[in-house]
Amino acid sequence: KLLIDRIFNGNDAVYGLTCQAVEGAIAQHGADKAVEFPHTAYCLPCYYAVTGVKVKTLGEMKEALGVIKSLMTREHQLDDALMSGVATALCAEFIEVLKYLDGAEPYSEPYYGHLPDSIIRELGVPLVTGDIPGVAVIIGSAPTAQEGVDLVKSYQAQGILVTLVGGIIDQAQELGLKMGYNVRIVPLGKDITSVIHVVSVALRAALIFGNVTPGDAAALIKYTSERVPAFVNAFKPIDDVILAAGAGAIKLGFPVISNEDENITEVPGALIACPNVADFNKVSLEARNIKIKITNIDIPVAFASAFEGEIIRRKDMQVEFDGSRVDCAELVQTRSMDEVEDHKITVVGPDVDEMELGSKNPIAYVVEVAGKRMQPDFEPVIERKFHNYINCIEGVYHTGQRDMQRIRIGKEAYNAGFRIRHIGEVLYTQVKNEFEAVVDKCQVTVYTDPAECTRIRHEVAIPVFDKRDARLENLTDETVDVYYSCILCQAFSPSHVCVVTPERLGLCGAVSWLDAKATNELDPNGPCQIITKERPIDENLGSYEDVDEAVQKFSQGALEHVTLYSIMQDPMTSCGCFECICGIEPFSNGVVIANREYAGMTPLGMTFSEMASMTGGGVQTPGFMGHGKHFISSKKFMKAEGGIERIVWMPKELKETVAERLNKTAKELYGIDNFTDMIGDETNTTDPEELVAFLTEHNHPALSMDPMM
Ligand code: SF4
Ligand code: NI
Ligand code: NI
């Protein structure tokens, strides 16, 4: 009873404050004043998800307060208390959104506050692959700064995304912990109400990936409970307000673990007492049933996916390797069993000790693999993972690929003892771990000798890359016998199926036909299954009886027909984690494409987030389609509607990224030179009428094509 009273009490307090804040804002700005969070298509996402109503003005907020009040029943049952927790969370969202009035930027370094929709979409793939196994929400101050930081780091080392609220942020700063979304430590804000920004991520995930109808609170809670692996760690003292917020978390299925020992009654599996902060990690993972993949690599620094986004600045760098300036290469080569000695690591050339501080050096590593089921087609699939492997090393940073990679080794990693052979160690261990089904033996040679690097690059690697490119060129939807399904995203988007073909990669951009083929080979019962293509229905649409059967089966009946090449007729579904989205632009008869990184407006009158909210959750939405960046220059892009000639607008940066390949395709298909010059971008206009003028001036082919609708 005491616990329930305290929750009611905290809820009443927050509700009272919220009413005052809303009244105060109305008195100052008037009821028609617009309220919104930046970069989201969901207005006040939590309120919208729970009630189905989009609140857009202060006046509407005031009305909504009445709805929140109706959740605050006082029957003294546990569920009344938990619903009061949800009401508390909604109040917190109201208090937070008022901070954003008039386009204000209430949060500055290191605080994040509200997180944009694009981050949630980006989180889709790492969450389903288990790369990010969970989300921790840490509230308050640890007994000591060291204990707090140790806890944060323990989660970080497991790849868990850590969000911080209140005193723990000061403690982390005090001990100089590097924080930021790129290292998976996100300080949300000082006030307890800022916790809503991570709740908002969980609830938007249900809308974006789960196809949950806004307002269907039961479905929403089912989704977060079953599919969002979040949990809360709350340090004592826990006051009534924190307790009420915690009740909201529990209602969403997120257990709360605390070292509070006074005036708290445990709720099994939901509110868990844990006197020792050192045990928080273990108890939390158990309570949320999170399994951690353990990788033991013999290197002197940490290895975890949380370090993938870590950046090493010039001033923090010991040495670098730069393929754009000196000869570098990374290469996988298939060998016969007797040519490879397992776990042999060889370094040819000087080690980091012998390189000048801050110098640019050549590097080339050749990973030789052997195995009965190894195929040369898997070489690029393995090679492309090197970026991820090397990046996951704490204090080491990697970008680029093939012979254009760039690696920085930080001073801290160097001082900890990190040397060249450890790169070999990491490549060896990860290749063996992740490709064990095809790689029986693996040896790594790392060259830093300049003459050897030049030889490897020009005489060994480049000829291999050229041969591979030629093979990829010939790899078309027509020349292969099978396609592949991918259902990895079903963890979040239960009825979504990607059909992956040589000319149409998965919409996340991470799964090409070769990747899918390798995945199928590595795990025959896994996410990628063979789809035959023996019974075509309409070649132009890209429809097949085989494909229809496969999507029916893998979507558990949710989908009946899917075409590969049409955006209008039975288009492929989207889960939500797409790199790009295209949508019909009615004035010009074409389509607009926006990428996830682009935060500005498009000629559709929608931002990327708003366009993205038009599709997702594994549902077919003619006229809008999520896709990978690489698909833009494909001959199969919207082939049924006329192909890439329909593209009338793209953000400038995206246009530049795809220009070379897109122009090549346009030349081949239609004989158009420099097609990208005809495509508008935000530096020309984001207005539909001006866009038509721009397209007319540049003689864009879409203007004379048949209407799409
Ligand atoms: Fe998800 Fe499709 Fe990418 Fe597979 S290919 S990971 S289902 S988006
Ligand atoms: Ni790194
Ligand atoms: Ni996805």
Side-chain angles (χ1 to χ4, degrees):
K1 280 282 183 294
L2 180 64
L3 184 72
I4 292 177
D5 281 329
R6 287 189 59 196
I7 292 170
F8 287 161
N9 192 29
N11 178 207
D12 289 337
V14 176
Y15 184 76
L17 286 175
T18 312
C19 292
Q20 276 176 24
V22 173
E23 292 290 357
I26 290 176
Q28 198 184 341
H29 303 278
D32 293 336
K33 182 77 178 172
V35 286
E36 62 176 355
F37 286 110
H39 311 302
T40 178
Y42 303 97
C43 295
L44 274 64
C46 298
Y47 188 80
Y48 178 55
V50 172
T51 66
V53 177
K54 285 190 171 179
V55 167
K56 294 181 171 172
T57 64
L58 287 174
E60 288 167 9
M61 274 176 88
K62 190 175 169 181
E63 274 172 48
L65 280 168
V67 177
I68 295 180
K69 184 81 188 172
S70 73
L71 302 177
M72 295 163 55
T73 52
R74 294 287 176 261
E75 294 298 323
H76 264 270
Q77 298 299 318
L78 183 61
D79 204 57
D80 296 270
L82 298 186
M83 274 321 280
S84 288
V86 173
T88 307
L90 296 179
C91 288
E93 183 173 54
F94 280 23
I95 291 177
E96 286 291 311
V97 80
L98 291 178
K99 297 180 181 174
Y100 287 87
L101 275 187
D102 281 324
E105 291 177 14
Y107 288 95
S108 55
E109 277 251 23
Y111 304 106
Y112 277 72
H114 171 79
L115 300 166
D117 289 355
S118 54
I119 281 197
I120 302 165
R121 295 181 184 278
E122 212 178 298
L123 286 171
V125 170
L127 281 166
V128 296
T129 56
D131 210 20
I132 297 182
V135 180
V137 185
I138 304 183
I139 301 173
S141 299
T144 64
Q146 193 60 52
E147 282 170 277
V149 167
D150 286 348
L151 179 67
V152 173
K153 281 182 143 179
S154 72
Y155 290 130
Q156 186 191 35
Q158 293 164 327
I160 287 174
L161 178 70
V162 194
T163 59
L164 309 177
V165 175
I168 179 72
I169 301 172
D170 301 320
Q171 293 182 319
Q173 282 189 307
E174 191 186 315
L175 294 191
L177 182 70
K178 274 190 228 160
M179 293 187 279
Y181 175 69
N182 63 325
V183 287
R184 296 197 189 156
I185 302 176
V186 182
L188 293 171
K190 274 191 184 128
D191 306 335
I192 176 68
T193 48
S194 67
V195 74
I196 197 64
H197 301 306
V198 57
V199 176
S200 170
V201 168
L203 298 189
R204 274 181 283 164
L207 303 183
I208 288 174
F209 300 113
N211 194 32
V212 167
T213 311
D216 186 347
L220 186 71
I221 288 165
K222 186 171 186 310
Y223 186 91
T224 53
S225 306
E226 289 174 4
R227 299 182 189 269
V228 182
F231 57 87
V232 180
N233 286 174
F235 294 119
K236 69 177 177 184
I238 305 263
D239 63 24
D240 292 358
V241 170
I242 299 174
L243 198 59
I250 290 171
K251 182 75 190 173
L252 297 176
F254 309 150
V256 178
I257 290 82
S258 178
N259 58 343
E260 180 62 89
D261 35 23
E262 279 172 46
N263 293 331
I264 282 265
T265 11
E266 277 198 272
V267 181
L271 180 57
I272 301 168
C274 179
N276 200 343
V277 173
D279 298 329
F280 271 27
N281 184 307
K282 186 170 156 283
V283 171
S284 300
L285 299 196
E286 258 172 38
R288 197 68 185 108
N289 197 19
I290 294 173
K291 303 266 185 296
I292 303 291
K293 288 189 264 180
I294 302 172
T295 344
N296 279 317
I297 307 185
D298 190 12
I299 56 173
V301 290
F303 182 90
S305 56
F307 297 112
E308 204 184 329
E310 175 197 37
I311 291 164
I312 310 290
R313 294 180 205 293
R314 180 163 289 281
K315 67 171 174 47
D316 302 322
M317 146 189 124
Q318 181 71 26
V319 292
E320 74 177 331
F321 307 91
D322 184 353
S324 68
R325 299 295 179 81
V326 279
D327 287 324
C328 292
E330 42 186 36
L331 188 66
V332 174
Q333 295 271 267
T334 311
R335 301 275 185 240
S336 64
M337 288 295 266
D338 55 356
E339 288 175 306
V340 178
E341 184 185 324
D342 193 45
H343 206 163
K344 182 172 152 197
I345 315 276
T346 316
V347 178
V348 182
D351 212 321
V352 189
D353 318 71
E354 299 152 75
M355 297 172 188
E356 217 173 294
L357 181 70
S359 59
K360 250 189 222 315
N361 304 273
I363 194 166
Y365 26 92
V366 179
V367 176
E368 291 165 290
V369 295
K372 273 191 290 299
R373 292 171 59 205
M374 179 64 199
Q375 299 176 22
D377 262 357
F378 302 153
E379 290 171 2
V381 174
I382 299 177
E383 223 172 81
R384 226 158 30 85
K385 297 287 287 187
F386 288 2
H387 167 64
N388 165 277
Y389 299 163
I390 295 177
N391 245 339
C392 288
I393 304 169
E394 184 181 14
V396 179
Y397 154 90
H398 178 287
T399 57
Q401 53 170 331
R402 289 190 154 189
D403 58 346
M404 281 296 155
Q405 88 268 38
R406 180 170 188 183
I407 298 176
R408 280 182 174 178
I409 298 179
K411 284 179 191 159
E412 276 179 43
Y414 172 76
N415 291 333
F418 190 87
R419 296 296 179 267
I420 296 292
R421 108 187 111 81
H422 296 124
I423 292 178
E425 224 25 93
V426 165
L427 294 174
Y428 167 80
T429 311
Q430 285 300 88
V431 168
K432 285 290 291 262
N433 271 348
E434 289 199 16
F435 296 93
E436 58 175 348
V438 293
V439 174
D440 297 330
K441 286 170 144 195
C442 172
Q443 70 186 22
V444 185
T445 313
V446 189
Y447 302 89
T448 55
D449 177 77
E452 281 294 283
C453 287
T454 301
R455 180 182 70 83
I456 295 290
R457 182 188 186 195
H458 291 281
E459 288 168 37
V460 184
I462 289 178
V464 171
F465 298 150
D466 288 346
K467 229 168 86 190
R468 264 191 218 154
D469 287 345
R471 154 114 173 105
L472 279 180
E473 287 273 306
N474 296 325
L475 212 56
T476 62
D477 291 4
E478 290 77 21
T479 57
V480 296
D481 295 331
V482 297
Y483 301 144
Y484 291 92
S485 60
C486 182
I487 55 161
L488 211 51
C489 283
Q490 285 196 356
F492 282 110
S493 202
S495 58
H496 172 69
V497 184
C498 273
V499 180
V500 180
T501 77
E503 292 175 89
R504 181 169 189 171
L505 80 172
L507 55 87
C508 56
V511 181
S512 71
W513 184 83
L514 281 180
D515 292 313
K517 182 179 174 212
T519 304
N520 175 264
E521 195 81 20
L522 293 167
D523 183 3
N525 299 315
C528 296
Q529 296 295 314
I530 290 171
I531 305 180
T532 54
K533 40 174 291 219
E534 285 153 7
R535 287 165 287 145
I537 304 167
D538 182 332
E539 306 262 359
N540 192 47
L541 283 171
S543 58
Y544 296 81
E545 283 175 39
D546 322 52
V547 171
D548 284 348
E549 278 169 20
V551 295
Q552 271 171 36
K553 178 171 164 210
F554 296 125
S555 71
Q556 289 87 36
L559 296 170
E560 293 194 353
H561 305 282
V562 162
T563 64
L564 304 179
Y565 309 140
S566 175
I567 181 182
M568 297 306 292
Q569 192 179 331
D570 303 321
M572 216 179 280
T573 61
S574 297
C575 42
C577 65
F578 37 82
E579 286 187 299
C580 301
I581 176 151
C582 71
I584 289 189
E585 204 291 302
F587 293 93
S588 62
N589 225 345
V591 291
V592 160
I593 304 179
N595 54 317
R596 210 160 50 195
E597 295 83 1
Y598 178 69
M601 192 40 78
T602 71
L604 299 189
M606 293 187 252
T607 59
F608 168 83
S609 291
E610 287 162 338
M611 284 172 74
S613 72
M614 306 296 290
T615 183
V619 191
Q620 290 176 309
T621 39
F624 284 94
M625 184 177 73
H627 57 86
K629 277 186 190 166
H630 212 71
F631 188 49
I632 297 173
S633 52
S634 167
K635 288 181 183 150
K636 300 298 194 291
F637 181 83
M638 287 177 55
K639 176 168 159 269
E641 284 82 30
I644 58 167
E645 275 189 311
R646 291 278 187 190
I647 303 174
V648 293
W649 192 94
M650 269 193 263
K652 190 163 191 292
E653 209 192 303
L654 178 64
K655 204 161 83 176
E656 282 166 6
T657 313
V658 300
E660 199 186 321
R661 297 181 64 242
L662 183 59
N663 286 338
K664 189 163 168 259
T665 308
K667 180 75 183 170
E668 273 177 48
L669 288 182
Y670 323 108
I672 299 175
D673 286 304
N674 297 323
F675 176 51
T676 45
D677 293 347
M678 298 176 172
I679 301 174
D681 62 45
E682 74 278 19
T683 64
N684 311 125
T685 181
T686 56
D687 174 86
E689 281 172 35
E690 280 176 30
L691 178 63
V692 172
F694 174 90
L695 299 170
T696 312
E697 190 188 319
H698 289 81
N699 205 7
H700 192 293
L703 295 175
S704 51
M705 292 171 79
D706 290 339
M708 265 193 287
M709 296 193 284

